[in-house]
Amino acid sequence: MLDVAQREFLTVLRTRALLAVGVGYVLLVGGVAWLAGTGSYLALVLDLLTPVELLVPVLAFAVGYRALLGDRESGELQTIRTCPVSGHWYVFGVYLGRAVVVVGVVVLGHAVAGAAVPMSGASTLSVVASHATVDSPALYLRFVPVTALFALVALALALLVSATARSSRAGLALATGAVVALVAGLDGALLGSLTAGVVPPDAATALLGLSPNTAYRSLVFELSVAPTGVTVPEGHAALLGGVALVTWLVGALGLASVLAWR
Amino acid sequence: MRLHHTTRTDGPTDDRAAVEVERVSHSFDGLDVLGDVSFSIEAGTVACVVGPNGSGKTTLLRLVAGLLDPDDGTVSVAGATGRRVGYLAQQPAFRGQFTVRETVDFYGALVETSPDVDAILERVGLSAVADRRVDALSGGMRRLLGIAQTMVGDPSVFVLDEPSSGLDPTMGRHIREVIDDLTAAGGAVLLSTHDLRAVERVADTVLLLDHGELVAAGRPEELLAEADAQRLETAIETLGPDAGAASVASGLRGGENA
C-alpha cells in the first residue's frame, strides 16, 4: 500500500497543473489573511472559514477526482488488477498518497495565514471586539487540524467520484456537481428544510451530519470560536460534527474501494 | 502447486496444461460474446487467438487473465501463489510522469517481489531507456514496457492482447523474439492477433474464433493439412463455418504488420 501511496504522491508532485492548484490554495488562503490584516486569531478563523469551505473542496477534488478514473481510462487499472493486490488496499494507497499532498497544502496555507497575525501589527479585534483578552494561537491551532480533517473528507468524496465516473467528461461533471453540492447544495437544502418547517428546529443538530460543510463549520465553532465566549448557533455539537466527518470519510472511501474494482 | 481463479476448486486436469479453459461462456448485458469455448495451453508454448473484430478475442483473453469471470464454465491457470498471469492490454498505458525503471519497480512492489529490473529491461531491450520517462517513449517501446511489466513476479502464463498491433516490422519482429524468450523460459503465452504471417511464425496452437465460438483449433500444420492448404489464411477460409468463413478471413487479412 505504501508503494501505491508513494506513486500517487509523486504523481501529484510531478503534475504541474496540480502543483499550480496547491500553490493557488496557499496564495489564496494566505492572501485572505494578509489582506485582512487582522491582529486576532479568532478573527482570522472567522475570516478564513467561508473561503476555506469553498477552497478545500476545490483543492481536494482537483487532486483526487482523476486518481482512479485516469488509470481506468488509460487501461492501466486492468493491468494493476492482474497483480495480487486487493481493490481496498489499492484505493487506500491512492488515498493515502494524495492525502499527504492535500493535508500538506492545507497546513502550509494555514501556516502562511497564521503568520499574518503576529506580523500584522494590529492589536484589536476587528470582528469580535470584546474578546481580545481570550484570543490565543490555540484557537487557530485547533482550526487547522479540523480543516485538515475536512480536506480528508473532501478527498475521500473526490475518490468516490473518481471510482464512479466512467469517462473524463462524466468525472468532471460529477466532481463539479459534488463541489457545488458540498459548498451550497446540502447547506441550502438543510436551511430550506428548517425555514420551511419541514424539519423541526429541535432536529437541527441531528441533521448536521448530512452535510460535511455543516459538520465542519460546527466543529470550528465549537473548538475555535465557542471557547472565547462568543455565542455560537445552538445545536452545534463537536462530537456530532466529528463523528459526521469521520463517517463521511470512511463511507466514501469504503464505497470507492468497492466501485473502483468493478 | 496449481491454483485457479474461477469457479472450480482444483487446477487444470491435464498436468501438462498451463491454462485450461472448459466450456466457457460469457455475455455482456444479455449479448452473448463467447459460447462454450474449450481449449488448453501447455507450458512453453504459444497459442494464438485469431478472428475478426468483435469475435470475442479480447473477452477470452480477459477471462484467462482473471479480469472477467465466466458466466459458465471454468478457467484454470497453473502456477504458484503470487502473480500467475502477466497481462498486456491492447493499448498498454502507464503514467507518463514516471521512468521506465520506476514503472517496473512499481509493479514489483505490487506483486511483493524485488524484481531484477535491469535483467527484465535487458530481456525486452529497454535497458538504454531505463531512465527515460514513459511519456517520452515511442508506441513500440511502451508495448515493450507492457511486456516487461508482465514478467514481474515470474508468472507462468502471459496473456498478450495484440502485442504487435500498429508497430513497424522491426519492432514487430523484436516483440516476436521476446515472446520466444518467454516460452523458452517455460511460460505459456496466449496472444491475440490479426497478423496471420506472425501466427505462422510463432504459434504452436491456433484458436480460430468467430462470433464468440471456437470454430477451429490445432497446430498450424494440422490446420493446413486438414484444409489441404499452403497458407493459414486459406486454411481459415476452408475450416471456418460456411456462413462465417469469408468474413473471418477478410477480417484477418485486414491485419497489421508482418
Side-chain angles (χ1 to χ4, degrees):
Chain A
M1 186 174 66
L2 289 179
D3 296 286
V4 176
Q6 182 185 29
R7 185 172 89 132
E8 298 302 319
F9 178 77
L10 292 175
T11 297
V12 176
L13 291 190
R14 294 176 184 181
T15 305
R16 288 180 187 168
L18 296 182
L19 280 181
V21 171
V23 170
Y25 181 90
V26 173
L27 291 177
L28 282 170
V29 171
V32 167
W34 286 82
L35 287 174
T38 179
S40 153
Y41 288 102
L42 172 60
L44 178 60
V45 169
L46 294 173
D47 283 342
L48 287 178
L49 184 57
T50 300
V52 160
E53 281 194 50
L54 169 65
L55 293 175
V56 162
V58 169
L59 169 71
F61 273 82
V63 171
Y65 95 96
R66 284 194 59 81
L68 300 166
L69 173 61
D71 284 343
R72 182 184 299 109
E73 279 197 313
S74 74
E76 191 174 10
L77 201 57
Q78 283 192 4
T79 306
I80 291 170
R81 285 177 56 196
T82 64
C83 299
V85 57
S86 79
H88 298 296
W89 281 109
Y90 183 74
V91 170
F92 292 153
V94 169
Y95 178 78
L96 182 62
R98 300 206 176 220
V100 170
V101 176
V102 169
V103 169
V105 168
V106 166
V107 170
L108 179 61
H110 287 259
V112 171
V117 173
M119 298 180 74
S120 70
S123 59
T124 57
L125 287 172
S126 59
V127 178
V128 192
S130 62
H131 293 88
T133 55
V134 293
D135 188 49
S136 157
L139 302 175
Y140 190 69
L141 290 177
R142 290 178 195 154
F143 174 63
V144 176
V146 172
T147 304
L149 175 60
F150 177 50
L152 290 174
V153 173
L155 181 64
L157 290 167
L159 250 62
L160 177 57
V161 164
S162 194
T164 305
R166 286 294 177 264
S167 68
S168 291
R169 183 175 295 183
L172 187 59
L174 279 172
T176 305
V179 170
V180 170
L182 275 176
V183 174
L186 292 174
D187 269 7
L190 285 176
L191 193 60
S193 302
L194 285 168
T195 54
V198 176
V199 175
D202 296 347
T205 302
L207 293 178
L208 286 179
L210 295 180
S211 163
N213 277 49
T214 309
Y216 164 66
R217 199 179 311 122
S218 74
L219 262 181
V220 172
F221 280 140
E222 288 288 338
L223 297 177
S224 294
V225 179
T228 67
V230 174
T231 302
V232 298
E234 287 184 11
H236 290 111
L239 180 63
L240 185 60
V243 169
L245 286 179
V246 171
T247 303
W248 274 97
L249 193 161
V250 173
L253 209 51
L255 196 53
S257 70
V258 172
L259 295 174
W261 236 235
R262 282 184 304 166
Chain B
M1 183 181 179
R2 291 183 181 279
L3 297 176
H4 69 102
H5 59 61
T6 58
T7 53
R8 209 166 58 182
T9 54
D10 54 354
T13 53
D14 184 347
D15 283 344
R16 295 170 302 174
V19 176
E20 201 169 67
V21 174
E22 285 188 84
R23 310 204 67 173
V24 160
S25 299
H26 194 76
S27 62
F28 290 111
D29 298 326
L31 179 67
D32 292 334
V33 180
L34 281 179
D36 205 22
V37 172
S38 300
F39 64 90
S40 63
I41 308 171
E42 291 182 15
T45 67
V46 177
C48 292
V49 186
V50 296
N53 291 332
S55 58
K57 298 190 299 295
T58 294
T59 300
L60 178 60
L61 265 57
R62 293 181 69 197
L63 282 161
V64 174
L67 293 169
L68 294 173
D69 289 327
D71 295 339
D72 286 308
T74 58
V75 179
S76 303
V77 176
T81 54
R83 192 184 200 188
R84 287 170 293 128
V85 178
Y87 175 69
L88 175 72
Q90 205 172 96
Q91 300 289 336
F94 304 99
R95 290 193 181 172
Q97 302 96 326
F98 292 83
T99 68
V100 168
R101 185 189 304 280
E102 286 174 330
T103 301
V104 177
D105 263 335
F106 170 69
Y107 281 90
L110 283 188
V111 300
E112 296 178 343
T113 63
S114 299
D116 186 342
V117 176
D118 288 331
I120 289 175
L121 296 180
E122 181 72 33
R123 283 178 74 185
V124 299
L126 285 178
S127 295
V129 295
D131 296 316
R132 187 181 295 181
R133 279 170 58 123
V134 169
D135 56 11
L137 296 179
S138 68
M141 286 177 174
R142 285 187 196 209
R143 202 69 61 87
L144 288 172
L145 175 57
I147 295 176
Q149 160 277 131
T150 67
M151 296 176 179
V152 173
D154 291 324
S156 56
V157 176
F158 298 86
V159 174
L160 314 177
D161 198 350
E162 301 193 20
S164 58
S165 172
L167 303 182
D168 64 59
T170 304
M171 187 60 83
R173 191 162 48 247
H174 178 59
I175 285 185
R176 287 199 296 276
E177 291 169 0
V178 173
I179 291 169
D180 286 341
D181 181 46
L182 295 177
T183 53
V189 176
L190 174 65
L191 65 86
S192 67
T193 183
H194 288 287
D195 184 353
L196 291 182
R197 277 172 286 185
V199 171
E200 288 176 337
R201 291 190 186 105
V202 304
D204 296 294
T205 305
V206 178
L207 306 167
L208 173 58
L209 276 181
D210 184 34
H211 293 95
E213 293 187 5
L214 192 59
V215 294
R219 304 180 75 82
E221 58 270 25
E222 291 172 346
L223 298 185
L224 291 171
E226 189 177 344
D228 193 21
Q230 299 296 312
R231 305 282 308 199
L232 204 51
E233 185 178 307
T234 313
I236 286 171
E237 285 187 18
T238 306
L239 297 172
D242 293 338
S247 63
V248 169
S250 92
L252 292 169
R253 271 195 297 268
E256 65 284 0
N257 62 291

